Amino acid sequence: MIPLERRKRLTDAMVESNLDVMVVYGNAWQNDYLRYVTDYGILEGEALAIIRRDGEVTIWLDSINEADRAQVEAPGIEVIYSPDMLSDVENALHRSRNSRMGAAPYRMLPRRLAARKDDLKFSDETNFVDRFLMVKMQSEVEAVRRASRFADEGYAVFRDAVRVGRYDYELIAEIENFFRQKGVDDNFMIIGVGGPEVRGMAPPQGKIIKKGDLVTTELTPNLGGYYSQICRTLVVGEASPEQTNVFNIYCEALEAGIATVKAGVTAGDVARAENEVFRKNDLGVYVTSEYTRVRGHGMGLFVDTKPHILEDVDTVLETGMTLIVHPNTYNPTVGYFVLGDALAVTDTGADVFCKTPRALFSVPA
Amino acid sequence: MRKGFMRWDPAEITREALAARAGKLQAEMKKAGLDGMVMYTNFVRPSAVCYYTAFTPYWNDAILLLPRTGKPVFATALSKRVSGWINSVKPVGELVNTPLPGKVIGERLKAEAGVRRVGILEYDMLPMGIFEDLAAGAPGIEFVDGTETYMTARRGIDATEAALLANSNTLATEGLSKVAANPESVGAALGPIEQFVRLNGGEEIYMGIARDLDKDRRLIRLSGPDPLGERFAVRASTSYKGAWVRRTRTYDKAVNAQEPLRRADEWLTALLRAIRPGASLGKQIADAVAKLPNAKLAGWMAESCVGTYPLAVIASQDAADFQPADGSLLVLTVELTIDGRPWIGAAPIVVGQEVFTSVALSRPAA
């Protein structure tokens, strides 16, 4: 049982660090700290939870619907519906003020609670929890690998759904229906349709798919709390020489990034390997923040966890980290282009989860 | 995240309507002695910023500064590459893409002459990182809780919001009608609802299911091949351009069980039509249940959009003296036993006005 393993790992570390109590915050956007402790996938409202060094967990939820759901979906923890969540948690922390307490993620904590840090005597332990979110147990790595299978299956459904005359939102509707039938509760997904005018991916806007369009997507199914991602681009009709040329550059960048991945290198090393391919093709400007966000990132209980794959990030990769390497960025000739594979970091290199071929797929026009 | 259809339609949410809303809040800010109002948004807390800008972030967070006079400033951690998209769905105010939205807004406040006191909507719950950046950027400015001021200005449903809510309600109603007579699994019941809503302009849908209502009334998040009991209930929470409603419907696989379900559904519609503002909601519900043969009230709750959450509980059986305000949005959930078996229903109304009727849905076009 991964949730119990996670809790034991955390409480063992708390004992080692002389921490008695840890308070974590979560919402549906930034859920990883909360999920690590409670195994609850919150959807509406916000929650705070406390884990004590003996492994006992209490979660306070400000939504009655969520509290109802947590009672069923997060067995083995105390669930409290708390319309005045802050007061209830402050009181609980006040009762424990003679213990050594920490909190995470500090920047997301409600202001009123965080402002009482000194009074309630808790420390910012975001980095302490981050380490567990980044460097996973083998069972967690396998959970991400299982989610990757659904990313591959989902992409096959997506590819089959793309046809001239369809709207972008129809593709999302089809994928989400597929995932609900398969038991995938959540999926992070953005899309791009068109040519050089497309500068990034976003939710669907009602664009009609036409011949010659590039259709980009980032699919990120969640299975049992763990996300995995795939990024691919397809062309409607036969790929132009320019589109094929751009694909070859992105593929080379992806392969360079993946070839760099192994325990001991930094996230920055991986980003540099990807970006050098763009620079040698006179596309260096397109790997700056003007056109792209990151060259990959961690994945796990959050879609976009640390480490971010950027040249100035010196986080050392470790066995047990799960990442996506994706040299996604704008290209002035063909438009926004994506290609990315999920993987696990090992002592000897990358264990790539993604089984979908690295290809510029083409669908009939 | 938000992954459904997102597009601003100038005929549907006019610039004039957004300006009127901002003007109303600015008038209340003046009365309260506030030189600005800061509102936080992410996709869990989208409703206040969406009300003034028509914008909901699909991911990440942001803050909106509405100054006492003039246009809003929207600072978001979404990266620059999506700024074109943001501007296409956010028709008002200046856009700043920045990893530190609090710092940018703080510095703007500091640069404005005469800004001394600024309200923050739901001040206690603002993420600490945003607040620290805001305060560091604006030393000497007093930040206070602006929630009361916001709520005063937010009262009532304007014609723009009513139209969006009607659309959202139709998405939920018709989506729930897509459940087959005898679905083979949870996934088979829920998948078509989700697909329908997303095909017809839904920005988002959340679903909950009590897959064997006779055994457990709690609606949980479930999908895939799990079997369904004879009686089950589905809650569809739908958003159309930031306007959220919920509807819950009870289903039964047995042909001879349809009549009490129909009676309860009709009863809920009649109850909603009859709800009077300024009178105890709990008593109105209890009186209505007393007139429904073989029915017993198990519980109820009323939700509305009163802050940054799309819907939050504002009353329940534990606060039976609650009196709904005229013209306010209520999503009423009622749990009954009827003929000795459980039933759950939920639907929205604007108090004192018509129950939402179905509007003609059309698939969004280019």
Side-chain angles (χ1 to χ4, degrees):
Chain A
M1 280 291 287
I2 295 177
L4 295 179
E5 289 175 48
R6 282 196 306 246
R7 251 172 248 161
K8 180 168 184 337
R9 187 184 183 206
L10 180 62
T11 51
D12 284 352
M14 286 168 64
V15 169
E16 206 169 290
S17 300
N18 199 25
L19 274 170
D20 301 307
V21 172
M22 180 74 76
V23 57
V24 292
Y25 164 88
N27 61 33
W29 167 41
Q30 186 82 51
N31 184 37
D32 42 353
Y33 298 82
L34 184 75
R35 183 115 198 193
Y36 200 93
V37 167
T38 65
D39 198 38
Y40 183 59
I42 188 170
L43 193 55
E44 295 187 61
E46 294 169 303
L48 288 158
I50 282 176
I51 182 165
R52 298 155 188 95
R53 62 193 294 166
D54 62 2
E56 193 187 328
V57 175
T58 304
I59 183 171
W60 288 263
L61 297 132
D62 64 1
S63 157
I64 183 75
N65 292 331
E66 293 289 319
D68 260 5
R69 197 160 69 77
Q71 284 170 5
V72 180
E73 296 181 24
I77 67 171
E78 183 184 20
V79 176
I80 298 175
Y81 166 50
S82 175
D84 189 3
M85 183 173 74
L86 280 182
S87 296
D88 290 345
V89 173
E90 283 168 352
N91 289 338
L93 293 179
H94 186 71
R95 286 194 296 274
S96 301
R97 68 190 177 286
N98 292 327
S99 311
R100 179 139 186 259
M101 299 193 287
Y106 178 76
R107 282 184 64 84
M108 292 296 293
L109 285 183
R111 183 206 57 83
R112 193 178 95 187
L113 179 63
R116 294 192 63 189
K117 185 157 89 77
D118 295 336
D119 158 36
L120 292 169
K121 295 178 186 163
F122 64 81
S123 52
D124 173 5
E125 296 296 341
T126 308
N127 291 339
F128 178 82
V129 183
D130 276 350
R131 178 157 176 77
F132 302 113
L133 295 171
M134 278 196 293
V135 184
K136 296 167 189 72
M137 298 177 293
Q138 189 55 36
S139 54
E140 294 180 281
V141 172
E142 294 311 315
V144 178
R145 191 192 305 273
R146 282 193 292 277
S148 292
R149 286 188 209 128
F150 284 95
D152 284 324
E153 281 186 40
Y155 190 73
V157 172
F158 180 84
R159 210 171 56 202
D160 291 345
V162 175
R163 287 190 291 279
V164 170
R166 291 196 94 180
Y167 287 100
D168 50 6
Y169 62 81
E170 293 183 84
L171 308 181
I172 309 283
E174 200 152 319
I175 289 290
E176 292 302 315
N177 184 8
F178 168 76
F179 279 147
R180 291 308 88 76
Q181 310 268 356
K182 290 286 182 179
V184 174
D185 289 333
D186 192 17
N187 171 41
F188 175 93
M189 181 176 186
I190 43 182
I191 187 169
V193 175
E197 78 284 3
V198 178
R199 298 219 158 212
M201 295 184 290
Q205 301 159 71
K207 284 191 173 178
I208 298 180
I209 294 164
K210 58 186 188 307
K211 185 179 176 183
D213 278 348
L214 288 182
V215 182
T216 53
T217 195
E218 194 169 83
L219 265 180
T220 323
N222 176 312
L223 200 67
Y226 289 91
Y227 290 93
S228 186
Q229 191 168 81
I230 181 173
C231 304
R232 287 292 185 273
T233 300
L234 63 80
V235 60
V236 182
E238 202 175 319
S240 68
E242 292 81 9
Q243 288 168 332
T244 303
N245 182 45
V246 167
F247 168 78
N248 289 335
I249 294 169
Y250 283 64
C251 193
E252 185 184 341
L254 173 61
E255 286 171 356
I258 289 175
T260 305
V261 168
K262 70 172 179 179
V265 306
T266 67
D269 293 334
V270 179
R272 260 185 299 283
E274 293 178 67
N275 292 347
E276 283 302 332
V277 175
F278 286 83
R279 286 193 276 262
K280 81 176 184 190
N281 284 280
D282 294 327
L283 294 167
V285 68
Y286 298 104
V287 301
T288 62
S289 61
E290 195 70 23
Y291 296 97
T292 187
R293 190 178 65 89
V294 288
R295 319 306 284 148
H297 50 80
M299 297 173 315
L301 292 174
F302 187 47
V303 174
D304 185 17
T305 193
K306 295 172 189 169
H308 287 151
I309 309 295
L310 285 167
E311 291 193 45
D312 60 357
V313 173
D314 56 10
T315 305
V316 175
L317 301 189
E318 294 181 50
T319 294
M321 287 183 175
T322 50
L323 313 171
I324 180 153
V325 175
H326 63 35
N328 304 348
T329 191
Y330 179 69
N331 178 276
T333 309
V334 304
Y336 199 74
F337 202 98
V338 305
L339 186 68
D341 281 3
L343 54 84
V345 179
T346 75
D347 290 349
T348 53
D351 175 4
V352 177
F353 296 157
C354 196
K355 303 292 182 206
T356 302
R358 287 175 204 146
L360 176 57
F361 295 100
S362 169
V363 299
Chain B
M1 73 164 302
R2 296 280 175 275
K3 51 185 170 277
F5 176 68
M6 294 179 101
R7 189 171 66 199
W8 174 62
D9 179 342
E12 210 170 21
I13 306 176
T14 64
R15 283 196 168 87
E16 291 73 24
L18 295 173
R21 291 172 180 179
K24 209 169 154 190
L25 179 54
Q26 285 168 324
E28 291 300 328
M29 286 158 54
K30 194 174 173 185
K31 282 187 212 164
L34 297 176
D35 301 312
M37 179 73 84
V38 171
M39 292 171 265
Y40 175 77
T41 185
N42 60 31
F43 71 82
V44 181
R45 290 186 168 272
S47 294
V49 168
C50 186
Y51 188 69
Y52 293 104
T53 66
F55 180 73
T56 296
Y58 67 90
W59 189 251
N60 227 322
D61 61 359
I63 50 176
L64 181 77
L65 167 66
L66 183 65
R68 193 155 150 180
T69 57
K71 293 186 175 170
V73 182
F74 182 72
T76 177
L78 281 165
S79 69
K80 219 168 187 177
R81 76 203 152 122
V82 288
S83 59
W85 172 76
I86 295 171
N87 276 325
S88 77
V89 289
K90 183 193 71 62
V92 295
E94 181 191 343
L95 169 66
V96 184
N97 299 96
T98 166
L100 298 172
K103 183 167 177 276
V104 166
I105 295 297
E107 288 169 353
R108 286 296 180 95
L109 288 168
K110 189 186 166 195
E112 282 294 318
V115 172
R116 290 185 184 84
R117 194 162 175 265
V118 172
I120 297 178
L121 174 60
E122 295 165 0
Y123 185 41
D124 286 349
M125 292 303 293
L126 186 71
M128 189 57 171
I130 295 268
F131 177 73
E132 284 184 338
D133 294 342
L134 188 65
I141 289 178
E142 182 191 6
F143 292 104
V144 298
D145 190 359
T147 307
E148 283 298 320
T149 303
Y150 169 87
M151 286 174 73
T152 305
R154 180 68 176 87
R155 266 185 208 134
I157 303 292
D158 62 23
T160 300
E161 188 175 16
L164 300 179
L165 287 166
N167 215 316
S168 192
N169 175 60
T170 305
L171 286 170
T173 307
E174 294 192 21
L176 287 169
S177 75
K178 302 302 171 194
V179 176
N182 195 353
E184 63 185 21
S185 67
V186 169
L190 300 186
I193 303 172
E194 177 139 12
Q195 189 167 31
F196 175 85
V197 170
R198 293 189 186 282
L199 283 176
N200 287 279
E203 179 180 276
E204 196 48 83
I205 173 167
Y206 294 156
M207 284 183 290
I209 185 163
R211 69 183 176 95
D212 191 348
L213 193 58
D214 287 311
K215 289 186 180 155
D216 194 336
R217 58 153 194 88
R218 293 173 293 190
L219 296 132
I220 63 170
R221 191 183 197 188
L222 197 62
S223 56
D226 290 77
L228 288 161
E230 189 167 272
R231 179 166 288 200
F232 58 97
V234 178
R235 178 178 63 220
S237 307
T238 53
S239 169
Y240 179 76
K241 303 202 172 173
W244 283 81
V245 303
R246 292 190 216 281
R247 292 194 77 100
T248 304
R249 188 169 158 185
T250 300
Y251 303 83
D252 200 298
K253 293 175 177 173
V255 174
N256 61 4
Q258 301 307 309
E259 196 278 329
L261 296 188
R262 183 189 54 73
R263 257 194 297 142
D265 290 342
E266 289 175 358
W267 170 85
L268 179 62
T269 304
L271 167 65
L272 292 170
R273 282 185 200 285
I275 285 177
R276 299 183 315 280
S280 163
L281 183 59
K283 184 164 188 320
Q284 293 186 69
I285 294 168
D287 290 348
V289 173
K291 291 175 189 161
L292 180 65
N294 298 323
K296 193 176 164 193
L297 182 64
W300 63 268
M301 69 172 179
E303 295 172 278
S304 191
C305 179
V306 291
T308 57
Y309 283 156
L311 291 169
V313 174
I314 54 169
S316 69
Q317 66 270 16
D318 302 323
D321 287 341
F322 169 78
Q323 298 174 2
D326 196 15
S328 61
L329 172 70
L330 275 193
V331 174
L332 185 64
T333 300
V334 182
E335 295 180 20
L336 303 174
T337 53
I338 185 159
D339 295 349
R341 294 183 68 195
W343 173 92
I344 308 175
I349 50 159
V350 176
V351 177
Q353 299 176 16
E354 282 291 311
V355 176
F356 291 113
T357 51
S358 278
V359 297
L361 294 175
S362 57
R363 291 195 176 192

